[in-house]
């Protein structure tokens, strides 16, 4: 190879040297103007972690209030604001952005591409999501955060009942961040369909890419109805329209249909990428290929389609017709078939493998055990007669936290522990990871398990206090203690992320002996990702390189 530097590269390294000497101002400039998918991915994840801490503090305040019956820690209005902001934050500004961030960072690397298909759209998506989040939080400064729940049921959002600006900030913030999410979805689809390395047919893409593809389609279909509904709320509030104003011929059901047509797919937007991440981690830490790749891919597609048609299982209690109840119950139950297929494929991947319990795999086990239980309570709730009894009770709160934290959060942690060495060039501390895992696992069971019981005992959700005569005290206290056990686990996690940047063991390019393309480049990857474009012959290109005597393409 010639040693003469390309003039462009010389110019670039000149700029880099300049940036180093100018210090933080230049670094700030670089990060705020970057269109590099890796930097954008990191910013998405950091933003989510900050919001996770904020949402966590909000949750702790609520649990403090509910520790004793008739407690007076925070009043009813503040309580309403807190559960609204907590739910909104966790769904829109923690769950989605952390998954979009990981997808942003990893997908081009896994596909053997140098960037996302539309780098500028990518940067736009991040900044506008962050702006949306800030807008929702600005409502605190105007005097009152929204008090409407993350689902914002009509007519509570109408001006008649809600005269603070909080709801307007909420609607605008979600509308704006939703535009960013749609941009991200378009970008993922274009990247996965159009930017794969030569030889990587759709049947050979890493499984995480499959799930990101379908999640993106879901975002594309689910977010616009929400956006439309938010515009309608703003019309009602600002321009005197009556879409959801029941007293003037509007319809509260309409809101629920529009919201849940978004809201139900949303829960799959939050879980499909996680299915993808654990499908990357489990094979590597079991030393086996992913069992039933084609079935897994088909199941992902099936889940994406079915989940678009089951939104009204959140509305059994609004009084739909018996026919609709039946349809939505049956359709919801059908989702458990492809989900079950996935579950058994993961088990079959582990079965007979050489399983190593390092932190990424530990969190996968957390994910598997918890997601199973959350799925079962979901099936229970999908049976309409059961839901009639427990809708709007703490049982539902137990169910969805069980899937969202047990499923989404545990799986996301598995992904973060898995890919951290690639992103930073350092290993995370395994000792701290185990502390993180066990405190979270035990605290989580203590927090959300008792919620199912208090729900069955009749405790409604969204109440700020209760009477001692109800006997809910004990279960609420267990829940609050569980939350206190969980809290240090997040602190340990964040500490590990930060401390390991300096003190972590230096990571080699491929610390887990893995098989996908991101592990072929350096840790952290250079700004152009790959020196030469990788060429792919199978689903495990790096295995083929390591085992030229027994490559995968002979079998696929
Ligand atoms: C087998 C799969 C699942 C089924 C059949 C199912 C079923 C249900 C049903 C029927 C409800 C409504 C309860 C009520 O309001 O009375 C519900 C609530 C909920 N589910 Fe699931 N679920 C499943 C999986 C998931 C997953 C994977 C997630 C998220 C990752 C999730 C998140 C939620 C949330 C956030 C709510 C509460 C919404 C609210 O009212 O604020 N579920 N689920
Ligand atoms: Cu649902």
């Amino acid at each position: 190879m010639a040693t003469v530097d390309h003039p462009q590269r010389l110019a670039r390294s000149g700029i880099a040297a300049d940036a180093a000497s100018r210090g933080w101002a230049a670094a700030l400039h670089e990060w705020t103007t970057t269109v590099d998918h890796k930097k954008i991915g990191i910013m998405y994840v950091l933003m989510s972690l900050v919001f996770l801490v904020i949402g966590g503090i909000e949750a702790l305040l609520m649990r403090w209030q509910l520790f004793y019956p008739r407690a007076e820690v925070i009043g009813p209005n503040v309580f309403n604001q807190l559960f609204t902001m907590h739910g909104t934050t966790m769904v829109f500004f923690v769950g989605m952005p952390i998954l979009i961030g990981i997808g942003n960072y990893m997908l081009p690397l896994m596909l053997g591409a140098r960037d996302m298909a539309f780098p500028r759209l990518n940067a736009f998506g991040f900044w506008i999501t962050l702006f949306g989040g800030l807008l929702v939080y600005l409502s605190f400064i105007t005097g009152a955060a929204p008090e409407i729940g993350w689902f914002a049921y009509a007519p509570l959002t109408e001006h008649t009942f809600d005269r603070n600006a909080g709801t307007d900030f909420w609607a605008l913030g979600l509308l704006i961040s939703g535009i960013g999410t749609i941009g991200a979805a378009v970008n993922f689809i274009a990247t996965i369909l159009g930017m794969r390395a030569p030889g990587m047919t759709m049947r050979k893409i890493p499984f995480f890419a499959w799930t990101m593809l379908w999640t993106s389609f879901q975002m594309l279909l689910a977010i616009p109805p929400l956006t439309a509904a938010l515009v309608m709320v703003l019309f009602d509030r600002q321009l005197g329209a009556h879409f959801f104003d029941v007293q003037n011929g509007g319809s509260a059901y309409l809101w629920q249909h529009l919201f849940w047509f978004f809201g139900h797919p949303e829960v799959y937007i939050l879980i499909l990428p996680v299915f993808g991440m654990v499908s990357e981690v489990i094979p590597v830490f079991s030393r086996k290929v992913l069992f039933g790749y084609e079935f897994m891919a088909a199941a992902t597609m099936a889940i994406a389609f079915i989940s678009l048609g089951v939104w009204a299982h959140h509305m059994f209690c609004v009084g739909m017709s018996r026919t609709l109840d039946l349809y939505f119950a049956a359709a919801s139950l059908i989702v458990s078939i492809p989900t079950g297929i996935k579950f058994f494929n993961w088990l079959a991947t582990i079965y007979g493998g050489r399983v190593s319990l390092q932190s990424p795999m530990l969190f996968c086990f957390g994910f598997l055990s918890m997601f199973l239980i959350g799925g079962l309570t979901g099936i229970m709730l999908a049976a309409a007669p059961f839901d009639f009894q427990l809708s709007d009770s703490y049982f539902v709160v137990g169910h969805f936290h069980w899937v969202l934290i047990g499923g989404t959060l545990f799986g996301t942690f598995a992904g973060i522990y898995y890919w951290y060495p690639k992103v930073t060039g350092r290993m995370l501390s395994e000792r701290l990871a185990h502390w993180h895992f066990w405190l979270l696992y035990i605290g989580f069971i203590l927090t959300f398990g008792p919620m199912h019981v208090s729900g069955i005992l009749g405790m409604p959700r969204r109440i700020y206090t209760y009477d001692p005569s109800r006997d809910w005290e004990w279960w609420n206290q267990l829940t609050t203690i569980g939350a206190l056990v969980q809290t240090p686990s997040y602190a340990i996690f964040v500490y590990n992320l930060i401390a390991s940047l300096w003190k972590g063991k230096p990571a080699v390019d491929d610390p887990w002996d893995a098989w996908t393309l991101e592990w072929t480049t350096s840790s952290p990857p250079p700004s152009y990702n790959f020196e030469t474009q990788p060429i792919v012959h199978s689903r495990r290109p790096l295995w083929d390189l390591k085992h030229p005597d027994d490559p995968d393409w002979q079998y696929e």
Side-chain angles (χ1 to χ4, degrees):
M1 277 285 285
T3 47
V4 186
D5 246 312
H6 194 273
Q8 233 178 343
R9 205 182 297 161
L10 269 182
R12 235 185 268 147
S13 63
I15 292 171
D18 188 34
S21 66
R22 270 189 303 166
W24 66 268
L28 191 68
H29 179 261
E30 190 185 324
W31 281 83
T32 46
T33 55
T34 187
V35 291
D36 178 359
H37 71 99
K38 297 184 288 299
K39 288 208 170 76
I40 294 171
I42 291 174
M43 289 194 292
Y44 262 115
V45 173
L46 290 182
M47 168 189 141
S48 311
L49 291 176
V50 171
F51 275 116
L52 178 68
V53 172
I54 297 173
I57 293 170
E58 288 161 349
L60 282 177
L61 283 172
M62 285 188 279
R63 287 318 313 175
W64 186 13
Q65 162 70 23
L66 290 171
F67 191 79
Y68 292 113
R70 297 257 166 261
E72 282 174 27
V73 179
I74 45 176
N77 293 84
V78 175
F79 192 87
N80 290 354
Q81 294 174 23
L82 285 177
F83 76 64
T84 304
M85 294 301 277
H86 167 77
T88 304
T89 304
M90 289 304 190
V91 171
F92 292 96
F93 302 112
V94 178
M96 272 200 290
I98 207 166
L99 297 169
I100 291 176
I102 294 175
N104 245 310
Y105 195 104
M106 299 317 306
L107 268 184
L109 289 168
M110 299 177 90
L111 298 170
R114 288 201 164 164
D115 208 324
M116 296 281 282
F118 309 115
R120 286 183 189 81
L121 176 66
N122 207 14
F124 172 76
F126 166 73
W127 290 106
I128 205 165
T129 305
L130 176 62
F131 180 59
L134 294 180
L135 209 52
V136 173
Y137 268 86
L138 274 180
S139 62
F140 274 117
I141 299 178
T142 69
E147 303 179 39
I148 50 181
W150 82 282
F151 38 79
Y153 282 165
L156 287 177
T157 45
E158 293 297 305
H159 205 237
T160 324
F161 302 102
D162 185 358
R163 295 188 171 272
N164 289 320
T167 299
D168 301 291
F169 277 87
W170 178 89
L172 271 175
L174 293 196
L175 206 158
I176 284 172
S177 71
I179 295 170
T181 310
I182 292 172
V186 171
N187 217 345
F188 282 134
I189 294 171
T191 306
I192 296 165
L193 295 184
M195 307 277 288
R196 288 163 312 184
M200 189 185 275
T201 60
M202 285 307 279
R203 298 170 73 100
K204 290 189 172 60
I205 58 177
F207 200 76
F208 180 57
W210 263 119
T211 56
M212 284 306 292
L213 180 68
W214 289 106
T215 281
S216 303
F217 280 124
Q218 286 194 301
M219 289 177 187
L220 222 48
L221 287 169
I223 306 242
L226 174 71
T227 308
L230 291 170
V231 171
M232 288 153 85
V233 163
L234 286 171
F235 274 19
D236 277 13
R237 293 178 59 80
Q238 299 292 337
L239 303 177
H242 303 292
F243 290 110
F244 308 122
D245 175 3
V246 183
Q247 285 156 329
N248 285 292
S251 162
Y253 289 176
L254 177 62
W255 169 266
Q256 289 213 22
H257 277 297
L258 288 171
F259 182 81
W260 285 116
F261 188 79
F262 149 79
H264 184 74
E266 171 66 18
V267 308
Y268 285 90
I269 292 169
L270 294 176
I271 202 78
L272 284 184
V274 172
F275 287 177
M277 289 193 257
V278 301
S279 301
E280 298 297 332
V281 174
I282 288 175
V284 170
F285 290 82
S286 309
R287 310 312 302 162
K288 283 175 66 190
V289 293
L290 181 66
F291 187 88
Y293 176 98
E294 279 90 355
F295 278 98
M296 293 287 259
T300 309
M301 189 176 76
I303 291 173
F305 275 110
I306 299 169
S307 72
L308 285 170
V310 302
W311 72 92
H313 65 209
H314 296 267
M315 301 167 58
F316 288 138
C317 293
V318 305
M320 297 181 296
S321 69
R322 174 169 296 201
T323 321
L324 280 180
D325 281 351
L326 267 176
Y327 162 75
F328 280 105
S332 307
L333 292 171
I334 289 174
V335 185
S336 57
I337 299 172
T339 314
I341 291 178
K342 292 201 149 194
F343 202 86
F344 285 112
N345 278 311
W346 288 318
L347 294 186
T349 309
I350 298 170
Y351 184 76
R354 266 191 293 126
V355 177
S356 101
L357 272 185
Q358 283 161 299
S359 49
M361 189 63 174
L362 196 59
F363 276 92
C364 284
F365 275 113
F367 161 85
L368 287 172
S369 57
M370 293 309 177
F371 187 73
L372 178 65
I373 297 171
L376 293 179
T377 53
I379 290 171
M380 290 157 82
L381 287 171
F386 186 91
D387 190 71
F388 290 156
Q389 301 302 316
L390 285 161
S391 178
D392 280 338
S393 78
Y394 250 76
F395 188 91
V396 174
V397 186
H399 155 71
F400 71 75
H401 284 91
W402 208 277
V403 268
L404 283 170
I405 299 185
T408 302
L409 211 56
F410 272 82
T412 303
F413 286 143
I416 291 179
Y417 279 102
Y418 181 55
W419 281 311
Y420 183 89
K422 177 52 60 188
V423 175
T424 62
R426 298 280 179 162
M427 304 299 286
L428 284 165
S429 151
E430 278 291 307
R431 196 171 52 86
L432 291 180
H434 279 70
W435 275 103
H436 172 203
F437 178 80
W438 286 110
L439 282 174
L440 182 60
Y441 198 77
I442 295 164
F444 167 83
I445 294 173
L446 263 181
T447 313
F448 301 109
M451 285 185 177
H452 294 88
V453 184
S454 46
I456 290 172
L457 293 178
M459 180 165 160
R461 57 198 288 204
R462 307 164 198 141
I463 53 169
Y464 86 105
T465 196
Y466 51 92
D467 198 80
S469 63
R470 296 291 194 139
D471 281 338
W472 297 335
E473 209 167 323
W474 160 244
W475 301 105
N476 275 293
Q477 290 177 347
L478 267 186
T479 296
T480 302
I481 291 168
L484 290 174
V485 174
Q486 275 187 65
T487 307
S489 79
Y490 298 96
I492 292 171
F493 172 61
V494 171
Y495 172 80
N496 199 359
L497 289 183
I498 298 170
S500 297
L501 273 182
W502 286 275
K503 293 194 276 184
K505 204 170 89 218
V508 294
D509 293 350
D510 178 23
W512 312 116
D513 192 10
W515 303 308
T516 34
L517 285 179
E518 73 271 29
W519 304 104
T520 61
T521 183
S522 64
S523 304
S527 61
Y528 46 84
N529 289 355
F530 301 97
E531 217 152 310
T532 52
Q533 188 163 37
I535 295 173
V536 173
H537 301 286
S538 80
R539 279 172 206 145
R540 299 197 300 170
L542 193 47
W543 171 277
D544 296 348
L545 276 179
K546 292 176 188 167
H547 304 272
D549 46 313
D550 186 27
D552 267 4
W553 48 262
Q554 287 186 339
Y555 310 100
E556 275 173 17

